[in-house]
Amino acid sequence: MTALLGLPPIGRQAPSEDVAEALRELTAIEFQIGETATDIDVTVAPAQLTQLVEALQARPKLAFDFLRNIVGIDFTPEGMALKYQFYSFRWGHGLQVTVPTSVGHPRVPSIVRFYPAADWHEREAAEMFGFVFDGHPNPKNLLLEEDLHIHPLLKAHPLQPAEILQGIEEGPPGFKI
Amino acid sequence: MTPFLASGAIFGIWNWTDAIIRILIIVLVMTVVVVYLTYGERKVIARFQQRLGPTRTGPAGLLQGLADALKLVAKEDLRPATADRWVFEFAPYATFIPVLMVLVVLPFAEDWGVRNLALGMFFVFAVLGLNIVGMLMAGLGSGNKFALLGGIRAAAQMISYEIPLVLSLLSVAMIARTLDLNAIAAGQSFTPESGQHAPYVVLQPLAFLIFFTAMLSELHRAPFDIPVAESEIVGGYFVEYSGIRWSMFQLTEYASMWAWSVFGSVVFLGGWAVPDTHTWAGPDWAWQLGITLIKSLAWIIAIMWIRVTVPRLRIDQLMSFCWKVLLPLALAQLLANGFILEYDGPDILLTLTSALGAVALLALIIFRAVKRPKSKLVGTYRQVQVSTP
Amino acid sequence: MSIWPEERVLAPGAAEFDSVDMTINIGPQHPATHGVFRMVLTVDGEVVVDCEPYIGYLHRGLEKLTENNDYRQAMGYWDRTDYLAGMACEVPYCMAVERIAGIEVPERAEYIRVIMAELSRINSHFMFAGAFGADVGSFGTSFIYAWRERERIYDLFEEVAGDRMFPTYIRIGGVAMDLPDNFEQRCRWVLGSIRQGIEDLDGLLTGNEIFVERCRNLSPLTSERAIALGVTGPLLRATGLQWDLRKAEPYGIYDRMKFDIPWRADLQGDIFDRFWMRLAEMYQSARIIEQCLDEMPKSGLVLNPDLPKTLRIDKGECYFRYEGTKGEYGVYAYARGGNKPYRMKLRSPSFCNLSALREMVVGNYIADAIIILGSLDIVLGEVDK
């Protein structure tokens, strides 16, 4: 079965320079390469995310076939960001893609059609932060109640007892869900 | 001697009074048996699973069954708002009464039963078929989808398995040349000079296997507990019942297990007649009652043993096993018996043909298991391939 | 003549029948959902046409809580994610924080962590095997067999850490306290008992014809599809792909351990292979623990002595991945000064595996849907965070 994926199965970790070099061939996309404690980090604008993801999946030198995780972060007042973690079973390397969004416009294209695994991750990020994923097939709340439109992981979201959040009791003056 | 006095009545009174007294006795005995069967099942299964089972209520937990019964009677009897009232409330009785009616004809010792019917065996499977009605009533009347699925599953399963069951019993009836249960038992007492046969489990091993399998299915015991599967449909047709009505279902389950065990041991193991107690010291009836008790207990423990060991089949596997395997084999058995009995073949021929069929049934299952690509599986988790990093 | 149908055929004329689909709500209170999980099955008779999972009944706001607690205070929330393997959740949390803070861990503590994590893995897999047997319909026997070994492991945890399920024993920079004196002897005894337990379950379930018939060829999964759906852990390895983070991206001291990733030539990712894979993994985990006991430094520090009183991390970002009991247990940590993380995110393996449920269930029988759900081995604490 491992032969189907092309290469010896495990333990092959390409040096991170290989990934950086392969990324530099993508001249049509504007991005910056950085680094985290574990992966290479690529920052790209939301408008070019689809293009980048398509290239990440299709280019044989990159071949990122596995979406590990999608993380949303609230950088208020500088807007928000999404972090996508990818992994390539073929080459054994990982990559993080950062997509910063501007204040008040948390719109990002959905990548479900490239990675089916992104479905639930995107729904979670959408309900927790208020991101809008364009083209998501089933944009409903996942972990929260279906008609509860609050975004608890925003830094502005106050720490309050559940009764106040659910509207059973009255919150402090000026508090709005 | 007036016609009102039954010749064999133990109380020497009018026939109908005698019948009522006997029915009362059998109902009381059945209640006690059921209470201690639940206790026994919990105890036996606990030992199979390295546990102790009930120990706290009474000495060695002996009063546990009574405590459970008391609790169930005291519980509130709930009825869902969406239930069909009369169907829902009568369903437990509709399942219970057929089992009670079966107990009427079972011979626990020579001529010891409520009534000894000339068509006893026919009566048993005619009456037990009525069980399905109660289960369907419970399933449809509860207004619950799990109950509906359970009721439909129960109906499909019981109707299917009734056929091999009846055919396997017919092949015994052909040899016995009677449907009277007392005569069937007496016919197995194994004395060649009187022309009696060996127990029918020796003469008809295939029929015995088919009967045992189909009986498990009729009883909804593992591996055929599909209509009441706890992990899938949470109890099936009786999911909405509580209190006394739920305990009626429980009563039905254990009473029918007991009834089937006695019936099976009468038909296949010789009932009270094997071994022959007529030459033993002491009263015949006491020996015979003891023999019946031991045989039915062995039968019940076999059922419990199977329950703790095997997982559950899926409904399509269950159905195809019935229609594709059990039914053709039962028919072949019937046909072979017909030929042998028509030409007055010896008993050994009956044994041989039936044993051949039994071996074929087992071989089919074993062959099927061995043919599978992963046949030798046990212990393979230790031999894994060394991976090279 | 075959006993079981090789393929599910329609009855003659079934195509012309007008049948109405029915929806069945399974959960949140249902014995087979392993917690508070709900799925709505649309069934046509006994066949599942559609399945919609609903989660979130156990959502406790793990990430928000972590953001508002000190690095050390938040520990207690993390071992409540995969509550069947508490220790195996504390380790990745601590390792992620150590990664961004650059904290060293003493060697003896590394060994202790591996022992505890592998014991937790065995614990969790035993729970799977027992509960899976119950799902398939074995009347609690497999459950009790598994429970016997789990009790012994929990007793060992209690001796070591003072608590059974949620020990909070692993600390940032090491472990909370040293092992008790007779630990090695006790642990070897427990390992012997575990091996016997695996044998028992193997004999009871793997050796059972009905069990194999139920699970064989049910909802097989190819490696490619598993990767696309984000399925990891034993489920991915059961498809035949030898991928284990302990080998692919070794962390801690796993590069010193000799163990195999279970593999058989005829793995196809069906329900049976998932069961088999977990049995084999328990066996390999026992091997790892034995090596740790042999090679472990007999004395020494178990907690980094240079840690500050309050841990403050100025800047750091990492996505730490760990081979959890259910799959890739990823911890994303982002620090921006202060004694609290700015953002912590759990990539929980159960969550990702469960998202593939719909695709596996559709087209099978209701009874199969239950055991497919059981074979995913979800823990709702981890799914709902």
Side-chain angles (χ1 to χ4, degrees):
Chain A
M1 202 62 86
T2 49
L4 289 177
L5 293 160
L7 278 170
I10 46 159
R12 187 194 160 91
Q13 257 184 297
S16 45
E17 294 84 52
D18 285 8
V19 187
E21 201 171 304
L23 282 170
R24 277 193 202 94
E25 290 173 15
L26 305 172
T27 45
I29 308 166
E30 276 182 47
F31 56 83
Q32 295 94 46
I33 298 183
E35 212 176 6
T36 72
T38 45
D39 293 307
I40 299 180
D41 179 68
V42 173
T43 309
V44 72
Q48 289 192 308
L49 176 68
T50 317
Q51 222 179 331
L52 177 71
V53 165
E54 206 170 355
L56 289 182
Q57 198 176 33
R59 294 243 168 168
K61 275 190 187 166
L62 294 165
F64 287 102
D65 42 14
F66 179 42
L67 175 78
R68 282 181 146 149
N69 194 11
I70 299 178
V71 189
I73 307 188
D74 178 20
F75 286 123
T76 310
E78 292 113 50
M80 299 199 283
L82 276 170
K83 310 253 180 186
Y84 296 75
Q85 272 95 22
F86 293 101
Y87 181 76
S88 163
F89 275 90
R90 179 184 286 188
W91 300 107
H93 51 214
L95 178 75
Q96 173 171 304
V97 174
T98 305
V99 184
T101 58
S102 55
V103 183
H105 293 286
R107 290 187 88 86
V108 182
S110 167
I111 59 165
V112 174
R113 64 196 164 101
F114 302 109
Y115 296 96
D119 185 351
W120 281 23
H121 289 302
E122 286 185 355
R123 279 171 72 181
E124 195 195 344
E127 67 182 339
M128 292 296 175
F129 290 92
F131 284 105
V132 178
F133 289 94
D134 291 327
H136 191 281
N138 188 17
K140 283 197 298 187
N141 271 5
L142 183 63
L143 289 167
L144 303 180
E145 274 177 50
E146 279 184 32
D147 51 352
L148 192 63
H149 298 293
I150 58 172
H151 306 301
L153 281 182
L154 291 178
K155 290 288 175 189
H157 188 83
L159 298 171
Q160 295 287 350
E163 292 77 22
I164 298 178
L165 292 180
Q166 290 162 5
I168 301 168
E169 282 176 22
E170 209 171 310
F175 175 78
K176 262 199 306 197
I177 291 175
Chain B
M1 198 168 275
T2 65
F4 289 107
L5 279 176
S7 57
I10 43 171
F11 300 105
I13 43 174
W14 298 301
N15 214 340
W16 59 272
T17 329
D18 170 70
I20 287 174
I21 291 170
R22 285 177 192 236
I23 285 173
L24 282 180
I25 290 173
I26 203 98
V27 167
L28 278 178
V29 169
M30 183 204 67
T31 318
V32 173
V33 163
V34 166
V35 164
Y36 279 94
L37 265 185
T38 52
Y39 166 77
E41 171 156 48
R42 287 174 67 176
K43 216 58 180 169
V44 167
I45 285 181
R47 298 317 300 203
F48 274 118
Q49 297 178 347
Q50 310 175 339
R51 296 184 283 124
L52 289 174
T55 55
R56 313 287 292 193
T57 325
L62 274 169
L63 300 178
Q64 185 67 45
L66 290 176
D68 286 349
L70 209 64
K71 177 210 120 188
L72 282 171
V73 171
K75 247 178 127 171
E76 188 185 354
D77 182 20
L78 293 169
R79 177 165 52 83
T82 51
D84 186 338
R85 177 164 183 189
W86 296 110
V87 176
F88 181 81
E89 291 192 348
F90 279 110
Y93 307 104
T95 50
F96 176 63
I97 286 169
V99 180
L100 194 62
M101 284 165 79
V102 167
L103 290 174
V104 166
V105 292
L106 293 180
F108 296 95
E110 193 170 5
D111 284 332
W112 266 57
V114 177
R115 277 297 175 266
N116 195 9
L117 300 187
L119 290 176
M121 191 190 268
F122 180 73
F123 180 80
V124 168
F125 44 69
V127 163
L128 270 176
L130 294 176
N131 237 343
I132 303 168
V133 178
M135 287 163 193
L136 265 179
M137 278 166 75
L140 293 171
S142 292
N144 180 313
K145 286 170 185 171
F146 288 123
L148 178 68
L149 272 175
I152 300 292
R153 280 180 180 193
Q157 174 176 344
M158 289 181 73
I159 290 171
S160 303
Y161 273 82
E162 203 111 301
I163 300 165
L165 182 88
V166 168
L167 288 180
S168 70
L169 289 173
L170 272 189
S171 52
V172 168
M174 281 169 85
I175 302 173
R177 289 164 202 270
T178 173
L179 290 170
D180 182 346
L181 285 175
N182 236 324
I184 288 176
Q188 305 177 50
S189 57
F190 208 22
T191 42
E193 63 271 14
S194 63
Q196 310 288 35
H197 301 283
Y200 291 127
V201 63
V202 180
L203 288 184
Q204 300 279 280
L206 177 61
F208 175 73
L209 283 183
I210 293 173
F211 173 78
F212 193 82
T213 317
M215 179 202 70
L216 284 179
S217 175
E218 295 280 304
L219 282 174
H220 304 156
R221 304 296 285 192
F224 304 116
D225 54 347
I226 297 167
V228 293
E230 286 134 41
S231 61
E232 294 158 24
I233 50 174
V234 227
Y237 49 84
F238 55 78
V239 64
E240 288 288 2
Y241 286 88
S242 68
I244 187 81
R245 282 178 218 284
W246 184 83
S247 60
M248 290 299 281
F249 279 112
Q250 200 71 0
L251 196 67
T252 313
E253 185 183 338
Y254 285 91
S256 56
M257 188 159 86
W258 182 53
W260 277 106
S261 304
V262 174
F263 179 66
S265 53
V266 164
V267 174
F268 282 100
L269 306 181
W272 48 264
V274 180
D276 192 1
T277 55
H278 289 294
T279 54
W280 296 6
D284 261 356
W285 58 268
W287 286 116
Q288 289 171 350
L289 275 185
I291 288 168
T292 313
L293 187 71
I294 289 169
K295 280 178 181 169
S296 58
L297 268 185
W299 200 283
I300 286 169
I301 285 179
I303 294 174
M304 290 174 182
W305 191 353
I306 290 171
R307 183 181 184 193
V308 290
T309 318
V310 295
R312 188 185 305 125
L313 282 167
R314 204 171 50 213
I315 187 92
D316 62 317
Q317 294 171 336
L318 172 97
M319 286 297 180
S320 42
F321 185 63
C322 172
W323 292 102
K324 293 184 185 168
V325 180
L326 291 186
L327 189 61
L329 280 175
L331 282 172
Q333 161 102 72
L334 210 61
L335 209 64
N337 279 6
F339 272 112
I340 294 166
L341 292 172
E342 173 68 25
Y343 296 108
D344 283 331
D347 276 3
I348 187 79
L349 211 56
L350 287 172
T351 307
L352 279 180
T353 49
S354 185
L356 201 69
V359 167
L361 173 62
L362 296 177
L364 194 72
I365 295 169
I366 292 168
F367 175 70
R368 167 93 189 169
V370 170
K371 200 179 66 177
R372 185 172 52 218
K374 301 170 195 160
S375 64
K376 293 193 185 65
L377 289 165
V378 177
T380 45
Y381 67 88
R382 273 178 251 130
Q383 294 119 34
V384 295
Q385 275 219 345
V386 178
S387 55
T388 45
Chain C
M1 183 166 48
S2 90
I3 308 180
W4 327 106
E6 291 297 339
E7 54 184 11
R8 281 126 197 201
V9 285
L10 286 172
E16 289 101 61
F17 264 137
D18 245 0
S19 59
V20 183
D21 290 353
M22 179 168 82
T23 52
I24 310 180
N25 181 40
I26 292 186
Q29 297 98 1
H30 188 279
T33 53
H34 299 242
V36 278
F37 168 67
R38 173 176 166 225
M39 58 179 176
V40 177
L41 297 180
T42 309
V43 293
D44 179 12
E46 287 269 344
V47 182
V48 178
V49 210
D50 196 3
C51 161
E52 182 154 15
Y54 288 89
I55 60 173
Y57 291 93
L58 208 59
H59 180 60
R60 293 152 298 180
L62 168 80
E63 287 153 16
K64 190 78 173 174
L65 281 167
T66 312
E67 279 172 26
N68 288 289
N69 276 293
D70 187 83
Y71 283 107
R72 284 162 184 155
Q73 285 174 336
M75 282 270 317
Y77 299 115
W78 283 74
D79 57 11
R80 278 154 181 81
T81 54
D82 183 354
Y83 46 71
L84 295 176
M87 298 263 204
C89 301
E90 292 166 18
V91 175
Y93 172 77
C94 291
M95 282 182 150
V97 176
E98 283 157 11
R99 188 66 68 95
I100 51 173
I103 296 170
E104 297 267 310
V105 180
E107 199 182 355
R108 185 169 160 84
E110 290 274 23
Y111 278 100
I112 296 175
R113 282 181 177 189
V114 171
I115 293 174
M116 293 303 153
E118 294 302 326
L119 277 176
S120 296
R121 188 188 310 280
I122 293 173
N123 203 346
S124 165
H125 284 0
F126 263 126
M127 180 72 203
F128 161 78
F132 186 63
D135 282 347
V136 181
S138 159
F139 182 73
T141 311
S142 62
F143 213 80
I144 302 284
Y145 278 14
W147 217 261
R148 182 186 66 198
E149 308 308 329
R150 278 171 57 77
E151 275 304 310
R152 288 174 181 164
I153 296 172
Y154 273 147
D155 285 348
L156 191 67
F157 280 175
E158 193 178 6
E159 284 163 33
V160 171
D163 198 303
R164 291 154 61 87
M165 279 183 92
F166 310 119
T168 329
Y169 174 63
I170 317 292
R171 292 292 149 88
I172 294 160
V175 296
M177 53 194 137
D178 208 345
L179 298 171
D181 290 341
N182 63 345
F183 177 77
E184 188 178 336
Q185 192 192 345
R186 283 277 290 124
C187 193
R188 283 188 199 279
W189 181 83
V190 170
L191 282 182
S193 165
I194 287 168
R195 293 221 166 100
Q196 182 60 47
I198 309 174
E199 296 264 330
D200 287 352
L201 281 170
D202 191 38
L204 180 76
L205 292 177
T206 318
N208 192 306
E209 175 66 15
I210 295 177
F211 178 81
V212 179
E213 278 297 337
R214 279 296 299 278
C215 301
R216 187 178 63 119
N217 291 338
L218 176 58
S219 142
L221 195 62
T222 62
S223 300
E224 285 81 0
R225 196 62 199 152
I227 290 168
L229 291 168
V231 168
T232 47
L235 297 172
L236 178 58
R237 288 193 281 280
T239 63
L241 183 68
Q242 280 183 301
W243 188 75
D244 189 321
L245 277 166
R246 290 173 291 177
K247 290 239 190 221
E249 299 177 349
Y251 46 84
I253 52 159
Y254 275 106
D255 45 355
R256 300 180 207 167
M257 299 294 152
K258 286 191 189 66
F259 66 99
D260 300 323
I261 300 174
W263 190 80
R264 234 178 43 227
D266 52 356
L267 284 177
Q268 52 178 350
D270 59 9
I271 307 297
F272 180 83
D273 289 338
R274 298 174 193 175
F275 172 79
W276 180 88
M277 180 59 60
R278 289 190 174 97
L279 283 192
E281 274 187 16
M282 279 195 264
Y283 188 77
Q284 298 298 329
S285 290
R287 270 180 71 191
I288 296 176
I289 297 168
E290 222 152 49
Q291 286 172 49
C292 284
L293 290 175
D294 290 340
E295 295 166 12
M296 191 158 119
K298 296 299 166 210
S299 62
L301 289 171
V302 293
L303 188 64
N304 190 337
D306 304 328
L307 289 173
K309 270 189 185 148
T310 307
L311 186 63
R312 289 174 200 280
I313 304 174
D314 291 336
K315 196 173 180 328
E317 180 183 9
C318 80
Y319 174 71
F320 182 78
R321 45 264 181 177
Y322 181 88
E323 187 62 39
T325 56
K326 319 281 189 288
E328 180 181 318
Y329 192 98
V331 181
Y332 176 83
Y334 186 89
R336 250 195 175 185
N339 59 352
K340 295 168 186 168
Y342 191 77
R343 173 92 170 102
M344 274 271 195
K345 161 99 165 105
L346 164 65
R347 186 258 185 219
S348 80
S350 296
F351 178 84
C352 300
N353 294 350
L354 187 61
S355 68
L357 176 72
R358 187 182 176 279
E359 185 164 323
M360 295 182 190
V361 161
V362 169
N364 288 309
Y365 287 89
I366 298 173
D368 289 342
I370 299 294
I371 67 171
I372 290 170
L373 177 66
S375 80
L376 293 179
D377 190 21
I378 51 165
V379 165
L380 269 301
E382 200 182 55
V383 173
D384 296 343
K385 293 181 249 197

